[in-house]
Amino acid sequence: MTGWRRSSGSRQSGDSASAGAPLAVDRSVSSSTIRLGRVQPQAPGHRTVFCNDREANYLAKYKGNGVSTTKYNVATFLPKGLYEQFRRVANLYFLTISCLSFTPVSPVSPITNVIPLSLVLFVSLVKEAFEDWKRLQNDMTINNSSVDVLQEQRWESIPWKKLQVGDIVRVKQDGFFPADLLLLASTNPDGVCYTETANLDGETNLKIRKALEKTWDYVAPEKASEFKGEIHCEQPNNSLYTFTGNLMLQKQTIPIGPNQILLRGCSLRNTQYIVGAVIFTGHETKVMMNAMNVPSKRSTLERKLDKVIATLFGVLLSMCLIGAIGSAVFVNKKYHYLELWINGDSQQFNPNNRFVVFVLSIFTLITLYSPIIPISLYVSIEMIKFIQSTKFINNDLRMYHSETNTPALARTSNLNEELGQVEYIFSDKTGTLTRNLMEFFKCSIDGEMYGTGVTEIEMGAAKRNGVNIKEKTSSSTAREKGFNFDDARLMHGAWRNEPNPDMCKEFFRCLAICHTVLPEGEESPEKLRYQAASPDEAALVTAAKNFGFFFYRRTPTMVYVRESHVEKMGKVQDVTYEILNVLEFNSTRKRQSVVCRYGDGRLVLYCKGADNVIYERLTSGNDELKKISREQLEQYGEAGLRTLCLAYRDLNPETYESWNEKFIQAKSSLRDRERKLDEVAELIEKDLTLIGCTAIEDKLQEGVPSSIEILSRAGIKIWVLTGDKLETAINIAYACKLINNDMKQFVISSETDAIREVESRDDQVEIAQFIRETVKNELQKCHEEAQSIIHGSTGQKLSLLIDGKCLMYALDPNLRSTLLSLSLSCSSVVCCRVSPLQKAQVTRLVRKGANKITLSIGDGANDVGMIQAAHVGVGISGMEGMQAVMASDFAIAQFRFLTDLLLVHGRWSYLRLCKVVSYFFYKNLTFTLTQFWYNFQTGYSGQRFYDDWFQSLYNVFFTALPVIILGLLDKDVSASLSKKYPQLYKKGIENAFFNWKVVGTLACFSVYQSVIVYNFAIASSTTGLASAGKILGLWDISTAAFTCLVITVNLRLLMMCNTVTRWHSISVIGSILGWFLFIFIYSLVFVNKDLFFRIYISWSYKIGDVFQGTYFTIYVLMSTAYFYLMAILVPIVALLGDFLYQGAQRWFYPHDYQIVQEIHRHEPEAIGAGLLEVGSQLTPEEERRYAFALLPRERSKHTGFAFDSPGYESFFATQQGVTAPQKPWDVIRRASMRHKTKSPRHSQQ
């Protein structure tokens, strides 16, 4: 494309080459000495992008913009798919058995093992192919989406996949960014655009992005074609919120940061269009580098199953060893009449070489006894889990939140049963236990407290002390969302009459200026809405508006505030503040600052942040105010309020200019930019003057206290990991009923006088040593006291409260064991002031150190590490975006739904899968043992007892359906009783229903039943006579034995069920009738079997052998009364032992759920059908919301990456007659689709 060929001399200083000269490359020299002209080799630490010059970028070999999220292609599907399947040990085992069955030593036909294995592999490969095909369709849709690219001073539409690094693109309103772009220009004033990042992090709040002032003019294609900048930036990485780079333009170096970067997958809002330069493409974009799977998790039951299968394999080898030794001993020349070694080439029964006989017999018996390990087990379990998650968990009305139209979501089906064994829950506080709906509640200005409200926590604390406090009603009839403040001293300009009006003014201006909130809508207090990164920020700006300081407009360099009552009462004036620098908040700094210039030239730094961070940076003096404010902060913390400190500092121009130079240098650095910016911020964020503090209330979610109480009664220990102060965490724990006054509380805090005294000396080494020693002593002291209480007779419960600073030292390898031992002794643990990393460390400590089943639940990005570190991760669909949900295994809308998820679905899934695995173990062992007993009567020769087709279809047809119904519909008690008696859950924690005792008991019954079935069948060979007067032969006896076995194992399944529905009956009866239908047909298919055998004997004696002996057997058997007697008597005698054992166990040693069953045996709903029914107890609005929530989901076709997008529901809603409300992302989708119906545009505008 000649339109993209640019002059080679345009970037060379002092080069006089013509503008049209192409890039010169000497082709005669080797690649090691090739002259790259102006293109410089890429340094390891950064990349260089030449904007608007494809030739220059071509030599750098940047990746294309096409993406592929598929696992396979046409060439690799079969080999790679089979490799993935045979990575499973069980599949590899059956492949080995299938290979052995092709050898002469195999007593069974290859078809016996090949057909079941092929069926399993076929189903798995079809599933893989279907999933990969969906990924391919999604990739094709994304790659073929169109974008406008600058070519020869025109905007030309090309597919995303043809986009290259350095291209200049235009993205229109509501469109998605096709790659990671540098924002050059926007149709909005001052190069500003608004983006929505919902597809990245789930946040619907708009983010502001600002182009560099030097590039504002590159809006029109004619002007944009003149842009010849070079971008030096970091190499591709997966950090969504950071970017380090410089733009080299007109011999100037201009720093680039995250505010100038538009990430692939985000959408453009409230902006006609933007012009940008492509920096990262395809798989090098930040969103694609984050597109990795959540860490794979395996349930405890699966790991236990591996051990059981290994044990079965050991049993198999033992049986083979016994048979091989017997075979080596049995072969003898005295049995010459058997002609065992008539074939000179065969050594299997040669008495002259017993060792060879021994070895070959092992291989023979391995193939014969291979069904002891069930091949269909994994497929059945995966099917059961999938249906449990998609049909039961996702459709449970009890976990549907009508207010937000959010049903429960099982993002994986691998961990269903793990939900029934959780012993420790690690919970975030904000947004998980609380609503994350922040309301400005109280404040303190210059040591004076304002606000008369009473929080939920205060009322709860008063109630514990026997005082009944009524909640005060607000003096105002209506309150704005985010503002629940009531104190006439500050409202409607009354603050001017306070003794400290100047400090009040600084307080309100700090609230109105120091933030990153974006206003949206008409510039009036009633209609304007705030888009904030967090609910706290929105609440603070809303509070400033209600106090008379209305923030209504923002540009990249200015903030506009409408101030009331400042000069005099009733006067309103619009004031403009120039924003010079923004020192942004992060989890390390725990503060945010802005440097602004007033209209009169005053320079001031406003800072807000955590109290401990702000206090470290206050100017010396004014100790009385600091002391009073600290006491007030503690009072707010005890009331359960979230606090921030506000401070300011007046700057002189010389100090600011000197500091600003360092700030610009740090901002322009390509290496360690974040660290350098933090260091520069420390230079100016000091000598601050304390203004006051804010107190924001975040109320508890509905049902949290009762849910925690129920979970505690279930034997689950709950830990709260929060970033709040110790006082706030304690009172939240009281309000949640996590701790109470009857508990012995161990408090390990760094907020002690001794530690503060050491910290005041500012010797970091001394501080670290002192705190470490203090924590060590406190841990040992608390641990000793805890052990004395545990071993005492009081039975008092324990709780531990520790802050993040002490936790940092307690997690030291030398103290970790003491911390773990103390924590496990406590019923509840509260960790406050903890970082996201510490949350993950604590979770991992209990998971690895105590080997307990853990569950983490949270709603924000700071909870992702904790969620992924636990056995089970649960995300809350809350106010902090969808990061936690996207990293989780299960998603719910409210904490209270955790009781249903664990006590109902988790416990049911655990019980069902335990029975499924136990039943598979039982029925296959029983089948294999009947073959094992027969081996003793055939000279240990490995002769097969059953027909090959019987063995092939035993697992996949005759016993397959009933066990699936068992895994889906069986339940011991109803959902309501599961929550009424939470103690039932403890059996899952103890793993009482699948352990070696259970396995051993089943093994004993398998031995007993196999002996009964086999001996009854063998007895019929001598006593049973056919209608013609002949005794029954081998195939007659084996068919009769197999009939009894199928009836026995299917009836045994009914004895395992707590609930017997029509589906159980249909599946069991259908399986038995299926066997009879099969044998009726199978016995007649090959009428002239001798002719068949003669035809195929030259091809393979095995093929012919498959169809020998079973002809007409079932008809011969059914002509005798002996067969009917066997079919009735054998199952009864075989199951008699089980019946007596289960009766004795239920009578003398009943399980807890059996006692509950007896208590509620007359209640018809106590033990029901097992399927969750959607009742009609909803209001019409809730019914509409629920129907809306169950609509089909659609894979994103316009997001720019292969993630599952939010549900674009309007299309499905209209198809099914559900009225769908307007949603922001729905509007985006329609807007992004409309332009596709039009003809391609090649506008030059």
Side-chain angles (χ1 to χ4, degrees):
M1 299 179 182
T2 58
W4 290 339
R5 294 179 183 270
R6 301 304 173 201
S7 67
S8 59
S10 60
R11 299 178 190 280
Q12 294 178 352
S13 175
D15 194 344
S16 59
S18 64
L23 177 66
V25 178
D26 188 354
R27 303 289 181 185
S28 63
V29 294
S30 65
S31 60
S32 61
T33 61
I34 186 170
R35 295 200 301 272
L36 299 177
R38 65 179 177 274
V39 182
Q40 300 299 319
Q42 299 296 301
H46 71 276
R47 68 159 51 185
T48 300
V49 176
F50 299 104
C51 299
N52 214 4
D53 193 339
R54 281 201 167 186
E55 273 193 25
N57 292 316
Y58 173 78
L59 294 176
K61 302 296 183 182
Y62 294 126
K63 292 185 177 180
N65 198 44
V67 297
S68 174
T69 59
T70 59
K71 292 173 62 178
Y72 312 101
N73 57 39
V74 176
T76 63
F77 174 71
L78 201 57
K80 189 175 179 181
L82 290 175
Y83 171 74
E84 291 292 331
Q85 294 304 316
F86 289 123
R87 289 178 63 184
R88 288 184 173 180
V89 177
N91 286 346
L92 188 61
Y93 163 78
F94 285 107
L95 176 64
T96 305
I97 297 299
S98 298
C99 293
L100 282 175
S101 64
F102 282 94
T103 64
V105 300
S106 174
V108 298
S109 168
I111 204 171
T112 305
N113 295 301
V114 171
I115 283 185
L117 177 61
S118 300
L119 182 63
V120 170
L121 293 179
F122 177 75
V123 172
S124 301
L125 289 176
V126 167
K127 172 177 171 288
E128 289 284 321
F130 177 70
E131 292 179 350
D132 218 44
W133 174 251
K134 291 195 297 182
R135 285 190 286 264
L136 176 62
Q137 289 182 312
N138 200 25
D139 292 342
M140 292 173 61
T141 302
I142 293 168
N143 291 332
N144 291 318
S145 300
S146 60
V147 62
D148 293 339
V149 177
L150 186 64
Q151 293 186 27
E152 297 179 348
Q153 300 185 0
R154 293 171 56 94
W155 295 118
E156 298 288 348
S157 180
I158 67 170
W160 280 20
K161 63 185 178 183
K162 293 185 178 180
L163 206 60
Q164 295 184 16
V165 171
D167 286 352
I168 306 300
V169 300
R170 178 178 68 172
V171 179
K172 298 179 181 179
Q173 181 169 336
D174 296 330
F176 290 89
F177 304 124
D180 289 352
L181 310 176
L182 169 65
L183 175 60
L184 298 179
S186 167
T187 54
N188 288 341
D190 299 331
V192 171
C193 74
Y194 300 90
T195 67
E196 185 179 83
T197 61
N199 290 322
L200 253 63
D201 53 21
E203 296 184 9
T204 56
N205 299 317
L206 298 185
K207 311 295 189 302
I208 189 171
R209 294 294 180 262
K210 173 182 175 290
L212 300 171
E213 188 172 353
K214 292 285 186 181
T215 65
W216 286 357
D217 297 332
Y218 298 114
V219 178
E222 297 82 3
K223 186 69 175 176
S225 63
E226 300 174 3
F227 179 66
K228 304 295 183 203
E230 293 183 13
I231 301 172
H232 300 272
C233 64
E234 63 191 9
Q235 292 289 359
N237 59 74
N238 62 356
S239 177
L240 292 174
Y241 307 106
T242 63
F243 183 83
T244 304
N246 291 326
L247 174 63
M248 313 297 293
L249 184 64
Q250 299 172 358
K251 298 183 179 181
Q252 292 186 2
T253 301
I254 309 170
I256 307 170
N259 288 332
Q260 286 79 45
I261 301 301
L262 306 173
L263 299 182
R264 176 180 175 131
C266 299
S267 58
L268 183 66
R269 299 287 303 277
N270 298 350
T271 307
Q272 185 179 351
Y273 70 85
I274 62 97
V275 177
V278 178
I279 300 177
F280 301 132
T281 52
H283 288 279
E284 291 185 338
T285 57
K286 290 181 178 289
V287 67
M288 291 306 298
M289 297 191 76
N290 276 276
M292 60 183 63
N293 295 327
V294 175
S296 178
K297 298 179 180 179
R298 295 187 69 212
S299 68
T300 305
L301 185 66
E302 283 186 11
R303 292 192 292 270
K304 177 77 77 172
L305 178 59
D306 290 344
K307 296 179 181 178
V308 172
I309 288 181
T311 304
L312 282 176
F313 188 72
V315 173
L316 170 63
L317 292 180
S318 301
M319 294 166 62
C320 294
L321 190 62
I322 293 173
I325 294 173
S327 180
V329 172
F330 179 81
V331 292
N332 197 298
K333 291 184 178 180
K334 68 180 180 180
Y335 300 118
H336 61 87
Y337 52 86
L338 295 177
E339 298 182 341
L340 295 177
W341 59 96
I342 191 171
N343 185 355
D345 296 331
S346 175
Q347 296 295 320
Q348 184 166 2
F349 301 110
N350 188 348
N352 298 320
N353 197 342
R354 296 178 185 269
F355 178 75
V356 173
V357 172
F358 171 80
V359 173
L360 294 178
S361 295
I362 287 182
F363 289 111
T364 298
L365 295 174
I366 284 179
T367 58
L368 186 64
Y369 300 151
S370 61
I372 194 173
I373 298 177
I375 190 172
S376 59
L377 173 61
Y378 290 101
V379 175
S380 300
I381 288 179
E382 287 182 2
M383 184 185 303
I384 290 169
K385 287 184 177 182
F386 178 77
I387 297 175
Q388 283 177 348
S389 60
T390 56
K391 297 302 181 183
F392 297 164
I393 295 178
N394 293 358
N395 291 348
D396 190 355
L397 193 60
R398 291 181 295 268
M399 295 192 292
Y400 170 69
H401 193 234
S402 59
E403 295 179 13
T404 58
N405 186 33
T406 308
L409 175 64
R411 290 173 49 84
T412 179
S413 60
N414 294 337
L415 303 172
N416 294 354
E417 70 278 14
E418 200 84 332
L419 293 171
Q421 298 178 272
V422 173
E423 187 170 359
Y424 285 88
I425 293 177
F426 301 93
S427 173
D428 178 40
K429 183 187 77 67
T430 304
T432 304
L433 300 177
T434 61
R435 300 177 186 177
N436 204 15
L437 297 174
M438 308 300 179
E439 293 182 330
F440 189 93
F441 199 72
K442 292 183 179 182
C443 65
S444 169
I445 305 175
D446 199 30
E448 186 69 25
M449 296 180 69
Y450 297 95
T452 60
V454 180
T455 66
E456 292 179 341
I457 309 299
E458 288 177 308
M459 289 187 286
K463 188 176 181 180
R464 290 194 301 271
N465 296 326
V467 180
N468 192 10
I469 297 180
K470 293 183 178 181
E471 186 175 4
K472 295 184 179 180
T473 58
S474 174
S475 58
S476 177
T477 56
R479 286 292 185 191
E480 186 175 358
K481 179 182 177 181
F483 188 72
N484 190 22
F485 179 85
D486 187 24
D487 195 327
R489 292 178 294 168
L490 294 184
M491 303 300 295
H492 308 296
W495 55 269
R496 289 175 53 86
N497 301 321
E498 288 298 293
N500 51 0
D502 292 335
M503 196 62 79
C504 289
K505 192 188 307 180
E506 294 288 356
F507 182 87
F508 300 143
R509 282 177 175 164
C510 184
L511 294 181
I513 297 172
C514 186
H515 58 77
T516 56
V517 175
L518 296 177
E520 190 178 47
E522 296 184 22
E523 295 179 355
S524 65
E526 296 80 18
K527 298 183 179 180
L528 186 136
R529 292 173 295 131
Y530 291 127
Q531 296 281 353
S534 68
D536 302 75
E537 283 235 296
L540 294 175
V541 178
T542 302
K545 178 175 73 172
N546 282 272
F547 289 134
F549 289 72
F550 172 40
F551 160 66
Y552 64 92
R553 189 188 308 163
R554 174 190 289 278
T555 69
T557 57
M558 307 295 288
V559 163
Y560 298 84
V561 180
R562 189 166 296 156
E563 299 183 352
S564 306
H565 320 295
V566 175
E567 301 297 332
K568 62 179 182 179
M569 293 295 291
K571 183 179 179 179
V572 179
Q573 59 182 356
D574 290 345
V575 183
T576 303
Y577 298 95
E578 182 182 3
I579 304 300
L580 301 176
N581 307 91
V582 177
L583 306 178
E584 296 182 356
F585 174 90
N586 60 45
S587 59
T588 304
R589 284 168 40 78
K590 295 184 179 179
R591 62 189 182 279
Q592 180 186 38
S593 300
V594 297
V595 179
C596 65
R597 179 184 283 123
Y598 281 44
D600 59 4
R602 178 193 177 195
L603 283 172
V604 61
L605 170 100
Y606 286 114
C607 183
K608 66 180 181 185
D611 53 357
N612 57 334
V613 174
I614 298 298
Y615 264 71
E616 292 174 355
R617 289 159 178 79
L618 294 178
T619 186
S620 58
N622 212 351
D623 295 334
E624 186 64 24
L625 174 61
K626 296 177 186 177
K627 180 180 178 183
I628 293 173
S629 297
R630 190 182 289 274
E631 292 173 353
Q632 293 168 347
L633 286 166
E634 291 177 358
Q635 292 180 35
Y636 291 149
E638 291 171 357
L641 299 173
R642 298 163 60 88
T643 59
L644 284 177
C645 283
L646 276 58
Y648 77 99
R649 176 188 177 188
D650 282 312
L651 304 172
N652 61 62
E654 294 78 12
T655 302
Y656 171 72
E657 291 298 335
S658 175
W659 173 84
N660 194 41
E661 289 181 5
K662 298 183 179 68
F663 180 77
I664 293 174
Q665 290 176 0
K667 199 171 183 181
S668 303
S669 174
L670 285 178
R671 296 195 177 191
D672 299 328
R673 179 179 293 184
E674 296 298 323
R675 180 182 60 81
K676 291 177 181 178
L677 284 174
D678 290 348
E679 292 174 355
V680 172
E682 292 283 353
L683 300 177
I684 199 170
E685 290 175 330
K686 62 181 182 180
D687 297 331
L688 303 176
T689 300
L690 184 64
I691 303 175
C693 60
T694 62
I696 294 176
E697 183 180 24
D698 185 13
K699 294 184 178 180
L700 288 175
Q701 288 183 14
E702 178 187 351
V704 167
S706 59
S707 298
I708 289 180
E709 186 178 14
I710 291 173
L711 293 172
S712 298
R713 288 166 55 199
I716 300 173
K717 300 177 179 63
I718 302 175
W719 295 21
V720 174
L721 311 178
T722 177
D724 286 330
K725 295 192 301 297
L726 182 63
E727 296 81 7
T728 306
I730 290 175
N731 284 281
I732 289 290
Y734 267 110
C736 294
K737 297 184 179 179
L738 194 62
I739 60 177
N740 55 58
N741 291 331
D742 296 330
M743 287 183 173
K744 173 63 180 177
Q745 297 178 16
F746 300 113
V747 180
I748 303 177
S749 172
S750 61
E751 298 294 323
T752 63
D753 294 335
I755 293 178
R756 285 174 182 167
E757 182 180 349
V758 175
E759 289 179 334
S760 65
R761 295 197 284 268
D762 202 24
D763 186 340
Q764 297 302 321
V765 175
E766 182 186 6
I767 293 172
Q769 291 177 344
F770 185 82
I771 295 179
R772 186 184 185 284
E773 198 62 31
T774 302
V775 170
K776 179 180 178 181
N777 295 334
E778 286 294 322
L779 280 175
Q780 292 177 347
K781 175 184 173 183
C782 295
H783 184 260
E784 292 172 359
E785 188 173 354
Q787 293 303 312
S788 63
I789 294 175
I790 291 173
H791 295 103
S793 57
T794 60
Q796 186 180 21
K797 290 187 176 182
L798 311 175
S799 63
L800 172 65
L801 303 103
I802 185 170
D803 67 11
K805 190 177 292 186
C806 294
L807 184 62
M808 179 177 64
Y809 294 96
L811 289 172
D812 182 90
N814 296 325
L815 300 179
R816 193 178 297 164
S817 58
T818 307
L819 172 66
L820 180 62
S821 178
L822 173 61
S823 302
L824 296 180
S825 304
C826 298
S827 300
S828 56
V829 176
V830 177
C831 301
C832 61
R833 296 287 198 190
V834 293
S835 65
L837 176 61
Q838 287 178 319
K839 289 183 178 183
Q841 287 176 331
V842 170
T843 305
R844 200 172 292 112
L845 175 67
V846 177
R847 175 177 179 170
K848 300 293 185 181
N851 198 25
K852 304 291 186 181
I853 308 298
T854 59
L855 179 147
S856 291
I857 179 170
D859 72 318
N862 61 332
D863 302 317
V864 169
M866 175 178 71
I867 287 173
Q868 294 184 344
H871 290 88
V872 182
V874 178
I876 297 285
S877 306
M879 304 292 290
E880 294 189 17
M882 300 291 288
Q883 300 98 319
V885 170
M886 290 189 292
S888 66
D889 305 304
F890 299 89
I892 54 178
Q894 297 278 287
F895 182 87
R896 68 177 185 272
F897 297 153
L898 199 60
T899 56
D900 284 282
L901 187 64
L902 297 184
L903 304 188
V904 179
H905 293 284
R907 201 177 67 83
W908 282 351
S909 296
Y910 169 71
L911 286 172
R912 290 165 177 169
L913 288 171
C914 284
K915 289 186 177 182
V916 167
V917 174
S918 300
Y919 180 72
F920 265 100
F921 167 75
Y922 150 78
K923 70 185 181 69
N924 281 63
L925 182 61
T926 305
F927 174 83
T928 307
L929 285 174
T930 56
Q931 178 71 64
F932 179 68
W933 306 135
Y934 178 67
N935 197 43
F936 285 96
Q937 292 190 308
T938 59
Y940 310 96
S941 61
Q943 168 66 37
R944 56 194 172 97
F945 183 50
Y946 300 114
D947 183 87
D948 291 342
W949 281 99
F950 297 0
Q951 181 172 319
S952 299
L953 299 179
Y954 177 73
N955 278 309
V956 299
F957 188 72
F958 304 136
T959 61
L961 185 58
V963 71
I964 293 177
I965 299 298
L966 170 70
L968 292 177
L969 303 185
D970 188 62
K971 62 177 180 179
D972 51 356
V973 297
S974 66
S976 58
L977 292 179
S978 295
K979 292 188 288 186
K980 183 177 180 180
Y981 301 97
Q983 294 85 353
L984 296 175
Y985 188 84
K986 293 181 179 179
K987 292 298 181 181
I989 297 176
E990 298 167 0
N991 197 21
F993 297 111
F994 189 68
N995 51 41
W996 292 113
K997 179 182 176 182
V998 173
V999 172
T1001 303
L1002 285 172
C1004 292
F1005 285 114
S1006 291
V1007 172
Y1008 165 74
Q1009 291 176 11
S1010 65
V1011 168
I1012 295 297
V1013 171
Y1014 177 74
N1015 283 287
F1016 266 78
I1018 293 300
S1020 66
S1021 66
T1022 56
T1023 58
L1025 296 176
S1027 58
K1030 297 179 180 180
I1031 63 172
L1032 300 177
L1034 169 62
W1035 301 114
D1036 300 318
I1037 298 305
S1038 65
T1039 303
F1042 194 82
T1043 302
C1044 295
L1045 185 64
V1046 169
I1047 296 174
T1048 300
V1049 297
N1050 278 287
L1051 293 179
R1052 175 66 172 81
L1053 181 133
L1054 289 179
M1055 295 178 63
M1056 298 176 68
C1057 296
N1058 288 294
T1059 306
V1060 178
T1061 67
R1062 63 179 182 274
W1063 299 109
H1064 290 79
S1065 304
I1066 291 172
S1067 63
V1068 170
I1069 295 174
S1071 295
I1072 296 174
L1073 292 179
W1075 152 248
F1076 280 104
L1077 179 63
F1078 166 80
I1079 192 61
F1080 286 156
I1081 298 173
Y1082 181 65
S1083 295
L1084 289 176
V1085 168
F1086 300 99
V1087 178
N1088 193 353
K1089 67 180 193 313
D1090 292 331
L1091 176 62
F1092 179 87
F1093 178 72
R1094 285 195 300 270
I1095 293 173
Y1096 282 89
I1097 191 67
S1098 60
W1099 294 355
S1100 171
Y1101 72 90
K1102 291 297 179 186
I1103 300 296
D1105 191 46
V1106 170
F1107 303 104
Q1108 283 186 335
T1110 57
Y1111 173 68
F1112 221 68
T1113 53
I1114 189 64
Y1115 300 99
V1116 172
L1117 288 172
M1118 296 187 73
S1119 66
T1120 66
Y1122 195 90
F1123 173 74
Y1124 298 100
L1125 182 64
M1126 263 189 74
I1128 296 173
L1129 186 61
V1130 170
I1132 292 176
V1133 176
L1135 296 175
L1136 181 63
D1138 284 273
F1139 180 79
L1140 295 176
Y1141 174 81
Q1142 291 187 17
Q1145 178 270 318
R1146 189 179 183 96
W1147 187 266
F1148 297 106
Y1149 307 100
H1151 294 299
D1152 292 341
Y1153 73 84
Q1154 293 173 333
I1155 296 174
V1156 174
Q1157 287 175 344
E1158 292 298 326
I1159 294 174
H1160 298 274
R1161 66 183 181 276
H1162 299 302
E1163 300 177 13
E1165 298 180 358
I1167 305 175
L1171 281 173
L1172 294 175
E1173 301 293 341
V1174 178
S1176 58
Q1177 65 271 28
L1178 298 179
T1179 64
E1181 171 64 16
E1182 289 176 334
E1183 287 181 350
R1184 186 193 67 79
R1185 284 177 171 270
Y1186 185 73
F1188 186 58
L1190 295 182
L1191 293 175
R1193 301 294 182 185
E1194 181 188 30
R1195 281 276 189 179
S1196 169
K1197 296 181 179 178
H1198 305 278
T1199 57
F1201 58 101
F1203 283 155
D1204 280 334
S1205 62
Y1208 299 136
E1209 299 135 330
S1210 59
F1211 170 77
F1212 300 105
T1214 56
Q1215 295 295 313
Q1216 299 192 19
V1218 180
T1219 304
Q1222 294 292 322
K1223 295 291 181 65
W1225 53 78
D1226 207 29
V1227 176
I1228 293 173
R1229 177 177 185 267
R1230 290 199 301 275
S1232 65
M1233 291 184 67
R1234 275 200 298 267
H1235 74 277
K1236 293 193 173 187
T1237 61
K1238 300 179 181 179
S1239 60
R1241 284 171 286 182
H1242 304 283
S1243 172
Q1244 298 182 20
Q1245 299 178 359

